[in-house]
Amino acid sequence: MFDDFLTTVEQLIRKAPTAWLISACETLRSLPADANPEFVLQRLPATANADVSFLMASAVRSASSQMSWEALSWAIQTASSSFHRLRAQQHIELLWAGPTPANKVPARRIDQALYDLIANAKQEILLITFAAAKIKRLTDELWKAAQRGVQIRLILEFEESSEGQLSFDAMKAFPSTLIKAVNVYHWPVEKRERNQAGRPGKLHAKVAVIDDTTLISSANLTDDAFNRNLEVGVLINNADFLSSINTYLDALITDGTLSRLSGPV
């Protein structure tokens, strides 16, 4: 029964306008402790939203035998504050590369979002890509970050490890001075499963994790992907999502699926 009440309150918070919900909570606190549910519902602020009206009525009737109206008001208001604070800490942004549609969808370019994140990085940068080529601006930004003391990891694909499925080692796109300052990881071919034709799997992920932000896209780190291809990505600020990404990748490194190729001495 109490679980049903909590579910109802959660749904109410998601659907009700914040101003209306605050007003309803203030009304609940002003009502006599012995008021019956029907009396309470008649005194609550009017709403034209049938879903909100139904959910509030369900919450009031469920709470009538479990808590005071004042307790109900604080339960709803506290849960609402927590919900909106958590939602404010989360952010998802659509990113594009390629042709701009006729209606000019207001989406940032994938490469610009990546440059901005790297320029403002404070602690760590992780980049994963299948291919990399002609990325001087990106490598310049990475070098500046390395000079600031930002820890940088690159997880890259190689021609040898992919057995020719990539014709140009991704690491060749990065200056040797930068490679010496960062940690580079690869996926050894002996750790890969093979298809029926005998070809190994490819390191095909395209991910950037920069401090508390994750960028996942279809774009490789190449000039074509940034400037000519039609690519799509998403920028995610979410602590749970970030933790999952980091835990997964750290586990691949720990168990040897991803192997350190080079890095600072």
Side-chain angles (χ1 to χ4, degrees), residues 8-16 21 75-76 79-80 83-84:
T8 298
V9 169
E10 180 183 355
Q11 292 175 343
L12 175 64
I13 290 167
R14 290 179 178 276
K15 290 180 177 292
L21 202 61
I76 293 174
S80 177
F83 170 75
H84 288 292

Side-chain angles (χ1 to χ4, degrees), residues 66-161:
Q66 302 183 60
M67 64 187 73
S68 68
W69 303 124
E70 182 177 7
L72 174 61
S73 74
W74 287 118
I76 293 174
Q77 193 162 329
T78 300
S80 177
S81 296
S82 297
F83 170 75
H84 288 292
R85 183 168 59 252
L86 180 62
R87 189 165 66 174
Q89 294 171 351
Q90 302 178 10
H91 176 73
I92 298 177
E93 180 183 356
L94 181 66
L95 304 172
W96 287 93
T100 302
N103 63 357
K104 296 183 179 179
V105 174
R108 267 202 298 172
R109 292 172 55 90
I110 293 171
D111 58 333
Q112 189 58 61
L114 188 57
Y115 300 146
D116 290 345
L117 288 169
I118 293 172
N120 291 287
K122 300 290 190 297
Q123 297 176 311
E124 60 181 348
I125 295 171
L126 167 68
L127 299 179
I128 308 174
T129 191
F130 173 69
K134 299 179 181 179
I135 49 171
K136 185 177 186 307
R137 182 175 175 185
L138 176 63
T139 59
D140 286 348
E141 292 293 343
L142 288 172
W143 178 247
K144 292 175 186 176
Q147 294 299 99
R148 296 196 305 271
V150 177
Q151 300 298 308
I152 300 175
R153 292 185 293 173
L154 305 176
I155 300 177
L156 307 173
E157 181 63 294
F158 291 80
E159 179 183 5
E160 182 178 355
S161 299

Side-chain angles (χ1 to χ4, degrees), residues 194-230:
R194 296 178 179 272
N195 62 21
Q196 291 182 342
R199 307 189 78 179
K202 297 185 286 290
L203 194 162
H204 209 247
K206 294 92 176 181
V207 180
V209 179
I210 301 170
D211 290 342
D212 57 357
T213 302
T214 306
L215 193 165
I216 297 178
S217 78
S218 61
N220 284 302
L221 300 181
T222 67
D223 177 60
D224 279 341
F226 288 163
N227 295 298
R228 282 169 288 281
N229 295 353
L230 178 58

